Amino acid sequence: MNYTRAYYKKRLKPIPIYLLVIILSLVFISPFLIMVTTALKTNADAFELPVKLFPRKIIWSNFPEAMEKIPYMRYMMNTVFITVLSIGGQLISTPMVAYSLAKIRWKGAPIISSLIIGTMMIPYTVTMIPLYKIWSGLGMTNTYIPLIAPTFFGSPFYIIIMRQFFAGLPNSLMEAAKIDGAGEFRRYAAIALPLSKPALTTVGIYAFINAWSDYLAPLIYINKTEKLTLSLGLQGFLNQYSVDWTHLMAAATIFVIPVIIFFLFFQRNFVEGIATSGIKG
Amino acid sequence: MSKPIGIKMKKSERRDNINGFLFALPWIIGFICFSLIPLLTSFYYSFTSFNPVKAPEWVGLENYQYLFKDPLVFKSLKNTLFMAFVSTPINLFIAMLLASLLNSKFKGRGVARTIFFMPSIIPMIAATMVWIWMFDPTYGYINRVLGFMGINGPSWLVNPAYTKWALVLMGTWCTGTTMLICLAALQNVPRSYYESAEIDGANVIHKFFRITLPCVAPVLVYQAVLNMINAFQYFTQVYVIINASSGGGSSNASGGPANSILMYPLYLFNTAFSYMKMGRASAMAWFLFVIVCVLTFIMTKVTKKISNNGMGGE
């Protein structure tokens, strides 16, 4: 009797947790579900009462149609171009700066470190107007330079992640190379960088997602139709009187899928990146 | 003998200084060009009147005086404070709830974590579009679900009494980052604390309020202030919502129904890029900057104080 009671107690204890987790998971996943199911509906189906989650008949044609209603491929190419160069920029600049702070003992390192954390607190709206003035003065509006150039100078969040990683590399490796006569750059490029693939991946993924979904910067600098990015281009489905929801959701689905795929593949990097920078920062 | 060594040390020290500087140079240049100069220029602009086609003209404190006279500045500040002080605690509560769930052992924990976190990485524009569709009073799913429960759902994005609550609801979906940080904090609480509490016969509630909460308090406070700072930068969602309801013409900038979702950064953006009053917008930006600085200062002070007390007290 006693045994079975304890047994059942142990067995039944996690049930409330499971229930809560399942309900919450359904709630959190439902916007994705609604996005995809709406993309698979006909317009009449989407605007039918009572509202149903699943389409009456699955329609795939919304996807090719959505890609024709706005110059989707064009916007996609623009976005890919910006994204690739941004990732490249971050991967060149971030580890260099982080290396300087973590592995070179020099006078400026503490000052630079606190300045980096300080700049994280500057709201974008404060620097937005002068930056716009500078870039437009240089005739760079409607080019991607204002969007890409800053990535070649390192971003605080990524530098902190990288610095944390470099700090964990044993100094003995660098010192051994130093004795062998390797210069600072050699030690950086031949020892530190190859060892830091996990951290570089993390930075790359963040850079990818941020460039891919950036909205405010393109909104300020890009207004020529053929130059728009996907995030701006999605607004092409809104018009004066109504929103073309089925096609918009189809377009949004294609826009979101790369992000989800990258996330699922590199989930661990995400979680670690946030945990190290969030608590320490 | 000692002299040459001393010189050699100095030499390698100097080389380190040069190398360190060279490696950090990209960021230093970026900092000067993209942060320092714009920051100072913005301060200068805030005392001028200018727009893209007109050179800055000194007007003294006029822009700042206008700040306190313009009812829309006050309105947008009020809306932003609502997000900072209503949305933040709700988000923290949800994040903490999800993190506590993920901190207990059950099968499929990894999948649950993925599901809870995923909304946070979705491009804001796509997420906002989906939520606008879900908030549709007639064809939206939220009111449909409320209908099942016998509640007559409101016109979320039309009725000014509900628009901000719609934003709050949308925000709870994107607490993934805060959740992960809370989870890491929970996992850092030493097991032994709980074990000794169990020996003393403490129940779940006791354990939460006496052990868990004091241990994660510094992280929670830090996240709270960080969320508030982010609330002062709340832009994309409202910009997209207003655009969607006005038909995508970015020229008809406004603040939503009865300006109920006119957030401070949105009003700033409109002032600069729609009304072309960039001097005035710079003054708004500096006012915002001061608020964020104060919040940051509070954040560092409070975090220090709590992490000193919290650990010593228990």
Side-chain angles (χ1 to χ4, degrees), chain A residues 18 28 34 38 41 51-52 100 106-107 116 119 125-126 130 133 153 184 213 215-216 239 245 263 267 281, chain B residues 17 19-20 26-27 31 38 42 45 50 107 114 117 121 123 129 133-134 141 144 173 222 235 239 247 288:
Chain A
Y18 273 118
F28 271 76
I34 287 160
T38 306
K41 281 179 179 176
V51 180
K52 283 194 188 67
S100 155
W106 67 292
K107 269 188 283 179
I116 285 178
T119 49
T125 38
V126 179
K133 178 95 171 117
F153 299 92
E184 196 70 68
S213 20
Y215 185 78
L216 183 53
N239 63 52
W245 283 111
F263 169 67
Q267 210 187 141
Chain B
N17 276 336
N19 280 334
W27 188 81
F31 169 70
S42 160
Y45 284 163
F50 92 103
K107 254 187 205 152
T114 307
F117 181 63
I121 51 132
M129 295 279 193
W133 174 225
M134 297 202 313
Y141 291 84
R144 172 72 172 148
W173 192 54
Y222 188 86
F235 174 81
Y239 186 86
L288 174 76

Side-chain angles (χ1 to χ4, degrees), chain B:
Chain B
M1 228 9 225
S2 67
K3 222 179 171 190
I5 290 174
I7 286 170
K8 222 179 169 188
M9 286 279 284
K10 277 251 169 73
K11 218 175 164 186
S12 81
E13 231 172 72
R14 223 184 70 192
R15 201 171 48 217
D16 276 349
N17 276 336
I18 292 170
N19 280 334
F21 176 75
L22 285 179
F23 271 78
L25 196 58
W27 188 81
I28 295 170
I29 295 172
F31 169 70
I32 292 169
C33 294
F34 300 121
S35 298
L36 191 62
I37 291 176
L39 197 65
L40 299 176
T41 325
S42 160
F43 189 60
Y44 162 68
Y45 284 163
S46 72
F47 297 102
T48 67
S49 156
F50 92 103
N51 61 44
V53 289
K54 186 180 128 201
E57 183 190 311
W58 188 265
V59 294
L61 283 171
E62 200 187 291
N63 289 327
Y64 287 97
Q65 282 162 349
Y66 187 82
L67 264 186
F68 294 98
K69 273 189 277 177
D70 184 359
L72 281 182
V73 167
F74 185 69
K75 177 94 189 169
S76 64
L77 205 56
K78 225 170 79 181
N79 289 336
T80 302
L81 286 174
F82 179 92
M83 292 312 285
F85 290 101
V86 176
S87 195
T88 301
I90 293 175
N91 283 349
L92 272 188
F93 174 77
I94 301 280
M96 199 57 197
L97 174 76
L98 297 176
S100 315
L101 273 178
L102 293 177
N103 196 35
S104 58
K105 279 205 175 76
F106 61 89
K107 254 187 205 152
R109 199 166 61 155
V111 178
R113 190 184 66 184
T114 307
I115 291 173
F116 296 155
F117 181 63
M118 206 148 66
S120 309
I121 51 132
I122 294 304
M124 195 79 84
I125 169 101
T128 309
M129 295 279 193
V130 177
W131 277 86
I132 296 172
W133 174 225
M134 297 202 313
F135 277 129
D136 191 288
T138 328
Y139 303 102
Y141 291 84
I142 291 177
N143 280 359
R144 172 72 172 148
V145 171
L146 287 177
F148 275 127
M149 298 189 244
I151 303 167
N152 207 349
S155 315
W156 290 97
L157 297 175
V158 180
N159 186 341
Y162 289 97
T163 43
K164 278 192 284 288
W165 288 104
L167 299 180
V168 169
L169 204 60
M170 210 166 89
T172 58
W173 192 54
C174 300
T175 47
T177 313
T178 313
M179 175 197 80
L180 283 184
I181 290 166
C182 289
L183 179 61
L186 287 176
Q187 285 166 345
N188 278 345
V189 180
R191 287 257 128 224
S192 56
Y193 288 13
Y194 293 112
E195 280 155 12
S196 53
E198 268 159 34
I199 293 168
D200 292 345
N203 61 23
V204 182
I205 294 163
H206 268 124
K207 276 192 281 185
F208 182 78
F209 282 103
R210 292 290 166 82
I211 301 171
T212 315
L213 211 53
C215 283
V216 299
V219 175
L220 279 183
V221 172
Y222 188 86
Q223 286 302 314
V225 185
L226 207 62
N227 267 291
M228 283 179 195
I229 292 173
N230 285 338
F232 277 93
Q233 320 221 29
Y234 199 90
F235 174 81
T236 306
Q237 296 93 321
V238 278
Y239 186 86
V240 173
I241 289 172
I242 289 165
N243 251 340
S245 51
S246 70
S250 53
S251 54
N252 20 345
S254 74
N259 285 321
S260 59
I261 50 172
L262 181 70
M263 295 297 155
Y264 192 82
L266 176 65
Y267 189 46
L268 199 167
F269 181 90
N270 288 345
T271 306
F273 295 103
S274 302
Y275 317 140
M276 294 295 172
K277 298 201 185 312
M278 292 191 156
R280 197 172 285 168
S282 298
M284 287 183 72
W286 262 81
F287 185 57
L288 174 76
F289 186 49
V290 171
I291 294 175
V292 170
C293 283
V294 171
L295 280 174
T296 310
F297 180 75
I298 294 172
M299 171 165 75
T300 46
K301 279 281 169 262
V302 173
T303 320
K304 251 185 207 140
K305 201 168 176 192
I306 289 187
S307 55
N308 288 344
N309 290 351
M311 287 304 161
E314 282 301 316

Side-chain angles (χ1 to χ4, degrees), chain A residues 9 12 32 34 38 42 75 77 94 105 127-128 132 134 136 142 159 162 172 206 216 224-225 244 247 250 262 268:
Chain A
K9 209 175 164 192
L12 295 176
F32 292 108
I34 287 160
T38 306
T42 59
Y75 295 165
M77 292 315 288
T94 304
R105 295 173 77 190
T127 51
M128 172 176 86
Y132 175 78
I134 294 168
S136 66
N142 277 317
I159 294 174
M162 270 323 279
S172 52
Y206 275 112
L216 183 53
K224 267 199 190 135
T225 315
D244 185 357
H247 290 110
F262 263 81
R268 250 190 53 212

Side-chain angles (χ1 to χ4, degrees), chain A residues 5 34 56 63 65 86 120 164 193 196 200 220 244 259:
Chain A
R5 237 185 96 184
I34 287 160
R56 192 184 290 275
F63 290 96
E65 279 166 28
S86 301
M120 278 177 98
Q164 213 73 15
L193 268 191
S196 55
L200 288 172
I220 292 172
D244 185 357
V259 176

Side-chain angles (χ1 to χ4, degrees), chain A residues 21-278:
Chain A
V21 167
I22 288 169
I23 292 171
L24 283 170
S25 297
L26 281 177
V27 171
F28 271 76
I29 221 165
S30 56
F32 292 108
L33 210 62
I34 287 160
M35 178 173 74
V36 176
T37 52
T38 306
L40 296 173
K41 281 179 179 176
T42 59
N43 209 34
D45 204 1
F47 287 95
E48 198 194 58
L49 290 173
V51 180
K52 283 194 188 67
L53 179 57
F54 292 103
R56 192 184 290 275
K57 185 169 172 269
I58 291 179
I59 301 287
W60 292 102
S61 59
N62 282 337
F63 290 96
E65 279 166 28
M67 294 175 87
E68 271 167 25
K69 287 211 165 181
I70 58 170
Y72 201 95
M73 283 324 272
R74 172 102 222 177
Y75 295 165
M76 172 101 84
M77 292 315 288
N78 295 343
T79 313
V80 168
F81 179 76
I82 296 169
T83 304
V84 168
L85 285 177
S86 301
I87 297 173
Q90 294 291 5
L91 288 182
I92 292 169
S93 58
T94 304
M96 271 180 77
V97 180
Y99 182 84
S100 155
L101 301 178
K103 281 286 175 251
I104 305 177
R105 295 173 77 190
W106 67 292
K107 269 188 283 179
I111 308 164
I112 303 279
S113 291
S114 37
L115 271 180
I116 285 178
I117 292 170
T119 49
M120 278 177 98
M121 294 302 164
I122 303 176
Y124 188 72
T125 38
V126 179
T127 51
M128 172 176 86
I129 294 165
L131 281 176
Y132 175 78
K133 178 95 171 117
I134 294 168
W135 287 120
S136 66
L138 293 169
M140 298 284 189
T141 51
N142 277 317
T143 72
Y144 300 135
I145 294 170
L147 311 181
I148 295 166
T151 64
F152 282 82
F153 299 92
S155 308
F157 179 59
Y158 308 144
I159 294 174
I160 291 171
I161 293 176
M162 270 323 279
R163 187 190 61 182
Q164 213 73 15
F165 187 86
F166 279 140
L169 291 181
N171 279 328
S172 52
L173 282 171
M174 315 289 167
E175 265 147 35
K178 199 174 180 179
I179 290 164
D180 288 344
E184 196 70 68
F185 190 76
R186 195 68 211 280
R187 290 191 297 251
Y188 163 71
I191 298 173
L193 268 191
L195 285 173
S196 55
K197 271 185 207 129
L200 288 172
T201 316
T202 305
V203 170
I205 302 299
Y206 275 112
F208 162 73
I209 291 196
N210 281 336
W212 186 260
S213 20
D214 193 11
Y215 185 78
L216 183 53
L219 181 67
I220 292 172
Y221 292 108
I222 313 290
N223 54 41
K224 267 199 190 135
T225 315
E226 73 271 17
K227 294 259 181 180
L228 296 185
T229 62
L230 271 180
S231 59
L232 291 179
L234 282 185
Q235 291 188 0
F237 291 100
L238 317 173
N239 63 52
Q240 202 73 50
Y241 305 104
S242 69
V243 179
D244 185 357
W245 283 111
T246 51
H247 290 110
L248 173 57
M249 288 297 120
T253 306
I254 315 173
F255 179 48
V256 160
I257 278 176
V259 176
I260 292 182
I261 290 174
F262 263 81
F263 169 67
L264 292 179
F265 264 101
F266 298 102
Q267 210 187 141
R268 250 190 53 212
N269 299 72
F270 267 99
V271 174
E272 276 165 13
I274 287 175
T276 52
S277 63

